[in-house]
């Protein structure tokens, strides 16, 4: 297989992974529909940054390290899961609060930065993402890949992740989804919080020693 074919095969796998439902999708869609399109785009860039960090580390062998040092991988799972549970609780507790979409509580620049770092933290909270990229690279990259391939993959991953979550932002920040959200905010936020908490609890359960659950 040529280097170009390998490149596009990896990008196709990354796109499929990005489009799979998970905490990243829940977070970006909720930010877009409950805050603003600008906030959603900031979150999209945060997700892209987290993905490119994991992709770059995977190219340098982090995924192999996590698979060999089991306690480190399990510890990261527990820490990431607890962070997602914390986010889920925050969303659930804020479900009953009224939302003032047209009255931002902080300067635009601060809001963009906050949503960017919030999304980045969420993306980095799941060590499975590092394993995902490591698995793709291990399966599709040759033993001695071309230098241009190693250089081109991280920015390509960033473009795919940001592009996908930009689409999600544009879809959920339009008038109809926003009107639906405002009319059912209590239950939508509670579902989103429960989903986020459940994903976090799953990470924690996978990270804790098996005998604890017996």
């Amino acid at each position: 297989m040529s280097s170009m074919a390998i490149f596009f095969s990896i990008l196709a796998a990354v796109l499929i992974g990005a489009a799979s439902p998970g905490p990243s999708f829940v977070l970006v869609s909720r930010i877009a529909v409950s805050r603003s399109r600008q906030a959603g785009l900031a979150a999209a860039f945060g997700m892209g940054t987290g993905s490119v960090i994991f992709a770059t580390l995977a190219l340098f062998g982090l995924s192999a390290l996590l698979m060999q040092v089991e306690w480190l991988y399990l510890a990261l799972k527990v820490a990431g899961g607890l962070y997602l549970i914390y986010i889920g609780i925050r969303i659930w507790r804020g479900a009953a609060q009224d939302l003032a979409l047209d009255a931002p509580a902080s300067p635009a620049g601060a809001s963009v930065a906050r949503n960017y770092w919030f999304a980045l933290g969420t993306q980095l909270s799941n060590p499975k993402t590092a394993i995902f990229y490591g698995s793709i690279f291990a399966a599709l990259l040759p033993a001695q890949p071309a230098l241009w391939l190693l250089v081109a993959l991280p920015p390509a991953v960033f473009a795919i992740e940001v592009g996908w979550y930009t689409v999600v932002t544009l879809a959920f920040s339009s008038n109809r989804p926003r009107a639906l959200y405002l009319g059912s905010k209590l239950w939508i936020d509670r579902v989103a919080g429960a989903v986020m908490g459940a994903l976090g609890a799953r990470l924690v359960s996978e990270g804790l020693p098996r005998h604890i659950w017996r």
Side-chain angles (χ1 to χ4, degrees), residues 26-39:
V26 173
L27 183 70
V28 174
S29 59
R30 184 182 178 277
I31 287 176
V33 76
S34 65
R35 297 177 188 173
S36 68
R37 181 165 292 178
Q38 185 181 35

Side-chain angles (χ1 to χ4, degrees), residues 12 34 98 114-115 175 199 206:
S34 65
D98 293 331
R114 183 174 63 249
N115 287 293
N175 291 334
L199 291 170
E206 291 176 351

Side-chain angles (χ1 to χ4, degrees), residues 100-182:
L101 291 174
D102 297 324
S106 59
S111 177
V112 167
R114 183 174 63 249
N115 287 293
Y116 171 85
W117 289 110
F118 188 40
L120 175 59
T122 301
Q123 185 76 318
L124 294 178
S125 70
N126 190 353
K128 284 186 172 182
T129 308
I131 301 300
F132 168 74
Y133 283 109
S135 300
I136 291 176
F137 296 156
L140 297 177
L141 279 177
Q144 295 182 330
L147 178 60
W148 75 264
L149 198 56
L150 297 178
V151 172
L153 277 173
V157 166
F158 179 79
I160 287 177
E161 292 278 350
V162 172
W164 165 249
Y165 288 113
T166 295
V167 170
V168 171
T169 294
L170 295 178
F172 280 86
S173 62
S174 59
N175 291 334
R176 183 171 296 180
R178 180 163 294 188
L180 175 63
Y181 173 77
L182 290 175

Side-chain angles (χ1 to χ4, degrees), residues 63-103:
S63 59
L65 173 65
L66 291 179
M67 294 178 71
Q68 292 178 7
V69 186
E70 183 179 7
W71 69 265
L72 177 60
Y73 181 45
L74 297 180
L76 290 174
K77 273 190 171 183
V78 172
L82 292 174
Y83 179 70
L84 293 181
I85 291 173
Y86 165 73
I87 294 176
I89 292 174
R90 282 186 56 185
I91 294 175
W92 181 282
R93 292 179 63 182
Q97 298 177 1
D98 293 331
L99 192 65
L101 291 174
D102 297 324

